[in-house]
Amino acid sequence: RREERDSEWQERVVQIRRVSKTVKGGKKMSFRAILVVGNEKGQVGVGVGKASDVIGAVRKGVADGKKHLVKVPLTSSNSLPTVALGRDGAASVLMRPAAPGTGVIAGGSIRTVLELAGVKNVLAKRLGSKTPLNNARAAMMALGALRTHKAAAKERGIPLQQMYS
């Protein structure tokens, strides 16, 4: 049963970096892995893992990504319902819904986050920092802040038809 649950999840490595810490005896080398985990059905997460070997760092990153999942509302054309802005550190991400057939127009780690979330038609722009981790986290912030029109109408206590008039 656990294998069935894990098989729907896809994981992609965004970056693997060798980092070092200066200790009394010299430098201690370790690896940092940034991973994106998603099921292409509206759930996605970004995780970071650090270990003395790459495989351990990737395993920790996957576990961290599954802990920080975000539910993404998708339209019938597998696009975003509204414009989304996300910010993490100096990285800003702007995402706009796109017409069917557009594809995922995004760069760097933002593209990976959107693809694993199941978004098929979107225009995204990275603003500010080029750091992959901050960009991925900014994309997660933007996707986490999204609401459908139905949810927004319910929150405001008005009928859905009034939202469009």
Side-chain angles (χ1 to χ4, degrees):
R1 188 179 284 170
R2 187 170 161 237
E3 287 176 23
E4 289 174 18
R5 192 175 63 221
D6 289 344
S7 65
E8 70 178 21
W9 295 98
Q10 289 185 11
E11 56 222 31
R12 285 203 207 146
V13 177
V14 172
Q15 184 185 60
I16 293 179
R17 253 209 178 142
R18 195 178 80 172
V19 293
S20 65
K21 178 184 178 185
T22 306
V23 292
K24 188 179 172 185
K27 289 183 180 172
K28 186 174 187 257
M29 296 294 178
S30 63
F31 294 90
R32 181 187 77 172
I34 302 169
L35 279 99
V36 179
V37 181
N39 64 355
E40 292 189 355
K41 295 176 190 167
Q43 284 188 307
V44 68
V46 173
V48 180
K50 283 168 81 173
S52 57
D53 62 328
V54 175
I55 295 162
V58 168
R59 196 179 307 116
K60 286 180 182 180
V62 170
D64 189 43
K66 286 183 179 177
K67 283 181 198 168
H68 299 101
L69 289 175
V70 167
K71 184 92 175 94
V72 181
L74 298 173
T75 62
S76 57
S77 63
N78 285 330
S79 187
L80 304 177
T82 57
V83 175
L85 283 164
R87 188 170 175 87
D88 186 79
S92 292
V93 174
L94 169 69
M95 297 180 198
R96 307 187 94 169
T102 306
V104 178
I105 298 175
S109 57
I110 301 163
R111 179 184 204 88
T112 310
V113 170
L114 289 169
E115 284 175 350
L116 289 182
V119 180
K120 300 274 189 274
N121 302 299
V122 69
L123 301 168
K125 182 68 183 161
R126 177 190 74 203
L127 305 163
S129 173
K130 295 180 185 174
T131 312
L133 180 58
N134 285 353
N135 280 308
R137 285 185 174 159
M140 292 292 290
M141 294 270 191
L143 293 175
L146 279 174
R147 297 179 304 172
T148 60
H149 296 296
K150 190 185 257 185
K154 187 176 179 183
E155 201 173 284
R156 289 164 60 177
I158 58 174
L160 188 61
Q161 288 77 22
Q162 194 177 336
M163 289 279 287
Y164 295 109
S165 61

